Amino acid sequence: DNGNLFSSSSPTPTPQQQTPPLQITRSTKLYAFCAALNSCNLGYDIGVNTGAAPLLQSTLSLTNLQVEIFIGSLNLFAMIGSASSNWVSDTLGRRWAFRVAAIVFLLGMILQSVASTYAILMVGRSFVGLGVGFGLAIDPVYISEISTANHRGQLVTWSEIAINVGIVLGFTSGLIFSGVDDDVAWRCMFGLGVIMPCAVIYCATFVMPESPRWLVSKDRNDEAKNVLWNVYPDGYDVGKIVDEI
C-alpha cells in the first residue's frame, strides 16, 4: 500500500569515512613554478626572433635563406637536445638536468647577442636549440614527479602556460628596444634572454629539491621522504608513496 511505499523501510546508509582530497601545498606550487620557468626559454626565443630576425638580417646583410635556416634550425637542434636529455636526467638527477639546460641556453643567447658573423650566430643558435629541447624534456617529468597524483595533470600544464608567457616577454623586448639602433636592438633583445636561465639555475640550486622518484631509484629513500613531506599535507603517510614508487 501507499503507506509502505513512502515509509522509511529503505536501509539507512551507513556513514563511511572518506579520505578528503589532497590539497596542493605551497611547496608543490613553488617547485612546479620554478620548473615551468624553464619553458619560458622556448617562448622567449619564439617571440624575440619575430622582431629580431629582420633587424639582424639588415645589419649582418643576410639572405632570406640564411634567416630561414637560422629560425628553422631551432627545431632540429631541439630534437637533438631532447633525445640526449635522458642520460643526464637519469644519471645526475633532475636538478642537474635543469642546470645543464639553462647553462646551454644561456651560452647560446650570449653567442647570439655578440655575433658578428653568420657562423657565430648559428653556433649560438645550436646551443639555444639544444637548451630548449633539453628543458622541454625535463620540465613535465619533474613537475609530474614532484606533484600528487590528483593534481599532476593540472600542474604539468604550467609548463605550457610558461611557453606563452615567454612569447609575450619576447614580443615585449622588441617593443622596449623599438627606438634603438637596429644593430644594438637585436643584440639587447637576445641579451635579455639570459635573465630567465639564470633564474632557473638559481632555483635548481637553492629552491627546488631533487625528484623523489629519482631519489628512490638511487636507493635514497630517506631523502625522498623528506621531499615528499613538503609535497604532501602534514600527517600524510609518505612511506606508502615511497613503497609505491
Side-chain angles (χ1 to χ4, degrees):
D1 60 343
N2 291 339
N4 291 332
L5 180 62
F6 295 102
S7 66
S8 58
S9 59
S10 57
T12 304
T14 57
Q16 296 179 349
Q17 185 177 5
Q18 296 181 352
T19 304
L22 295 176
Q23 300 297 316
I24 306 177
T25 63
R26 284 186 293 180
S27 295
T28 304
K29 293 179 180 178
L30 175 62
Y31 303 152
F33 173 80
C34 292
L37 286 178
N38 204 39
S39 294
C40 284
N41 291 331
L42 171 60
Y44 185 84
D45 184 81
I46 295 172
V48 76
N49 279 290
T50 303
L55 302 180
L56 64 89
Q57 181 178 18
S58 62
T59 56
L60 296 181
S61 301
L62 304 181
T63 65
N64 289 337
L65 178 60
Q66 286 176 314
V67 174
E68 290 169 2
I69 293 175
F70 171 76
I71 299 296
S73 62
L74 177 80
N75 297 320
L76 174 62
F77 296 125
M79 286 190 293
I80 299 173
S82 60
S84 60
S85 64
N86 65 307
W87 184 86
V88 174
S89 178
D90 292 340
T91 305
L92 302 179
R94 314 305 190 222
R95 295 171 70 198
W96 261 111
F98 278 105
R99 294 189 191 107
V100 170
I103 290 172
V104 172
F105 184 89
L106 176 65
L107 179 59
M109 276 298 188
I110 292 174
L111 287 174
Q112 287 186 166
S113 63
V114 301
S116 57
T117 64
Y118 183 68
I120 298 176
L121 194 67
M122 286 304 299
V123 172
R125 191 64 170 169
S126 66
F127 280 103
V128 169
L130 291 172
V132 164
F134 207 109
L136 289 181
I138 186 59
D139 292 359
V141 172
Y142 179 85
I143 294 176
S144 64
E145 292 179 347
I146 207 71
S147 308
T148 57
N150 57 325
H151 296 115
R152 196 163 291 152
Q154 173 188 351
L155 293 175
V156 167
T157 61
W158 288 18
S159 179
E160 301 298 323
I161 296 173
I163 294 176
N164 291 281
V165 172
I167 293 174
V168 173
L169 294 176
F171 281 121
T172 303
S173 69
L175 180 62
I176 293 173
F177 297 106
S178 59
V180 182
D181 179 75
D182 288 354
D183 188 51
V184 176
W186 67 265
R187 297 181 188 278
C188 291
M189 290 164 68
F190 284 142
L192 283 180
V194 306
I195 297 176
M196 197 62 68
C198 287
V200 172
I201 294 172
Y202 176 86
C203 291
T205 304
F206 299 107
V207 180
M208 301 162 62
E210 187 52 81
S211 161
R213 181 172 292 275
W214 184 83
L215 291 171
V216 171
S217 71
K218 302 300 179 181
D219 295 325
R220 295 160 62 177
N221 293 359
D222 290 338
E223 295 179 55
K225 289 180 180 178
N226 290 334
V227 175
L228 291 170
W229 278 327
N230 289 325
V231 172
Y232 284 82
D234 293 337
Y236 195 88
D237 182 13
V238 298
K240 67 178 183 180
I241 302 298
V242 173
D243 294 336
E244 291 175 359
I245 295 175

